[in-house]
Structure formats: structure tokens, C-alpha cells
């Protein structure tokens, strides 16, 4: 972009974001916020985007007045990544996991018209919380065990759990999906990604999500627009060297 700026990583422990931001000066143009600080970012901000209000988590902070504005670029970034492979509307979907990422992807699916969710989980307390969130969006939810083989095809499958949690079930997952959104990208490629490709399914990856949400962060920080392909290619180049 030709900017004389730096973009660096700063490690902050959970509970430490407010203290860090309180001593930050005006030279900061913004922050990309990662786990475990996304809830703190939403709570600390003086201005919150609509998606942040709904989800209670933020991944982007930019200075506004004497405070900070929080937004969540994961949601529009995921939608943009799906649009890039011509997925504009869905009716049914299946989500593996019940954490913050799963919650965000349920919100994404609702924005694309989804009305039926097969939620695959291990933690009963978390799954009920996420199920209630989905029901609040007008989605009918069925809760099933993580490793029970699905027998109905859905428009979209989203995986948010580690590779080891799905070992041996990848084909049954991809075979019952029109589109697979594999959030996990370690290792690269994941077995689920490979299974989706072997089954000829439309595939969206965690790298696609990272790139599309980063386009929105870059615009928030700099006002500049960058093609997601530039960021995807940079990430794939780095992964291939490891």
C-alpha cells in the first residue's frame, strides 16, 4: 500500500486488554483482536457495530473520538468468502462445535437465509447456549453427538473443531454437504478439506475467511481496498514453506 506504517503482534493476556488500550496513544490506527480478547474488545469499546451487539465479540478496534469503535469483520468476511464460491443462500446447515466461532458462523448462516441447523457438539452446556442463540435467530435446531454419522445432506457444513475430533469421519461429513466450510487450517490441508475435494464439493477454508475478513480490517485501518487474492496467495505461500 506504500504506507510508512508497521503491523506487529502484541501478546496480551486475558483480562489485560483494557489496561493496554488505556495507555495506548493516538499513533495506533487500529487493532486486530484475536482469542482470548474478543469479548473484552466488545465490552471495552465505546461504539459497537450491529454484529458486535448481537454476538458480544469483536475482532477489530479503531480509535474514535476519545474511545474505540468495535466491529466484527469475521461475519461479513465469511459471507464474502461464501459469495466468492457462488454460495449466496442456504436453507439447511450443519455445524461442528459450539464455541465462539460456531456462534459467529450460525449468525452468518442466518444472514444467508438458513432456517434448519444440525448442531454437532461434545459439551452439553455450551451446545444449549449456542442452540438458544440460533433459535433466537429463527432457526430450528437439532442437537446431535459430534461423531454420529449424518444421514441427511445439507446446503452447508461448517467445521470449527480440531482435526483430531473428527478423525475417521471426514468422508461422511463431506459426502452429506453441498458446500464445506473448513475453518481449521492446521495442518494444511486438513483431512476434511481433502475429503471435500475428493468428493467434488464446494470448499471454503479458514484461509479464505482470514483473507476476506482482513480486507475489511485493512479498509477500516487505512481506507484502502486490497483484493482478497493477494492475502490468500501470501498465506498459501507462507504455509507451503513450513
Amino acid at each position: 500500500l506504500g504506507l510508512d506504517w508497521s503491523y506487529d503482534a502484541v501478546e496480551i493476556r486475558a483480562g489485560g486488554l483494557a489496561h493496554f488500550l488505556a495507555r495506548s496513544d493516538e499513533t495506533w490506527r487500529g487493532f486486530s483482536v484475536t482469542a482470548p480478547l474478543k469479548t473484552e474488545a466488545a465490552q471495552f469499546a465505546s461504539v459497537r457495530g450491529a454484529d458486535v451487539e448481537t454476538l458480544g465479540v469483536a475482532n477489530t478496534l479503531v480509535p474514535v473520538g476519545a474511545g474505540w469503535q468495535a466491529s466484527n469483520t469475521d461475519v461479513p468476511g465469511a459471507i464474502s468468502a461464501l459469495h466468492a464460491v457462488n454460495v449466496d443462500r442456504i436453507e439447511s446447515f450443519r455445524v461442528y462445535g459450539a464455541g465462539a466461532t460456531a456462534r459467529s458462523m450460525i449468525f452468518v448462516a442466518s444472514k444467508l437465509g438458513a432456517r434448519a441447523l444440525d448442531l454437532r457438539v461434545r459439551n452439553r452446556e455450551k451446545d444449549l447456549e449456542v442452540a438458544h442463540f440460533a433459535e433466537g435467530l429463527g432457526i430450528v435446531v437439532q442437537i446431535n453427538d459430534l461423531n454420529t454419522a449424518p444421514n441427511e445432506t445439507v446446503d452447508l457444513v461448517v467445521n470449527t473443531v480440531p482435526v483430531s475430533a473428527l478423525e475417521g469421519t471426514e468422508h461422511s461429513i463431506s459426502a452429506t454437504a453441498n458446500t464445506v466450510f473448513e475453518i481449521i487450517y492446521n495442518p494444511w490441508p486438513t483431512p476434511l478439506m481433502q475429503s471435500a475435494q475428493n468428493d467434488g464439493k464446494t470448499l471454503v477454508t479458514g484461509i479464505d475467511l482470514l483473507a476476506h475478513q482482513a480486507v475489511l480490517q485493512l479498509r477500516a485501518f487505512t481506507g484502502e481496498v486490497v483484493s482478497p487474492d493477494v492475502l490468500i496467495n501470501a498465506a498459501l505461500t507462507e504455509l507451503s514453506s513450513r
Side-chain angles (χ1 to χ4, degrees):
L1 294 177
L3 299 173
D4 185 22
W5 297 10
S6 62
Y7 181 70
D8 302 308
V10 180
E11 186 173 352
I12 303 169
R13 294 180 181 272
L17 182 62
H19 175 72
F20 175 80
L21 292 175
R23 60 185 177 83
S24 298
D25 59 30
E26 66 278 0
T27 61
W28 295 107
R29 297 300 185 101
F31 293 100
S32 302
V33 184
T34 61
L37 303 172
K38 292 184 177 182
T39 300
E40 292 176 48
Q43 294 172 342
F44 181 80
S46 54
V47 180
R48 302 174 185 85
D51 291 345
V52 175
E53 291 284 5
T54 299
L55 292 169
V57 294
N59 73 335
T60 308
L61 290 171
V62 295
V64 54
W68 294 89
Q69 178 175 336
S71 59
N72 188 320
T73 62
D74 285 334
V75 171
I79 292 173
S80 179
L82 285 164
H83 285 172
V85 293
N86 299 315
V87 176
D88 300 317
R89 185 168 181 82
I90 63 174
E91 294 289 337
S92 59
F93 68 118
R94 182 174 295 120
V95 174
Y96 288 80
T101 302
R103 188 184 182 100
S104 293
M105 290 305 298
I106 289 169
F107 191 41
V108 166
S110 74
K111 286 176 173 281
L112 295 178
R115 289 295 174 262
L117 166 63
D118 176 4
L119 184 62
R120 300 294 176 124
V121 294
R122 292 176 293 187
N123 185 316
R124 190 70 182 173
E125 183 177 337
K126 275 190 175 182
D127 69 359
L128 289 175
E129 180 183 333
V130 173
H132 290 154
F133 172 75
E135 289 168 347
L137 298 172
I139 297 172
V140 176
V141 182
Q142 287 188 339
I143 302 174
N144 290 293
D145 184 75
L146 192 74
N147 298 120
T148 301
N151 53 25
E152 292 185 1
T153 297
V154 293
D155 295 325
L156 175 68
V157 163
V158 178
N159 176 49
T160 71
V161 302
V163 166
S164 59
L166 301 180
E167 187 174 1
T169 66
E170 294 87 0
H171 174 66
S172 66
I173 294 171
S174 61
T176 52
N178 294 328
T179 299
V180 173
F181 201 141
E182 168 63 297
I183 301 293
I184 307 302
Y185 50 87
N186 182 24
W188 182 272
T190 68
L192 181 57
M193 287 172 55
Q194 293 173 315
S195 181
Q197 291 172 325
N198 291 339
D199 290 337
K201 304 297 183 175
T202 301
L203 175 65
V204 184
T205 72
I207 295 297
D208 297 322
L209 172 57
L210 281 178
H212 282 271
Q213 70 80 29
V215 167
L216 300 174
Q217 285 192 330
L218 278 169
R219 188 167 65 190
F221 297 155
T222 70
E224 301 285 347
V225 177
V226 177
S227 167
D229 291 339
V230 172
L231 308 181
I232 291 170
N233 290 336
L236 295 180
T237 298
E238 173 63 22
L239 284 169
S240 67
S241 70
R242 296 186 176 185

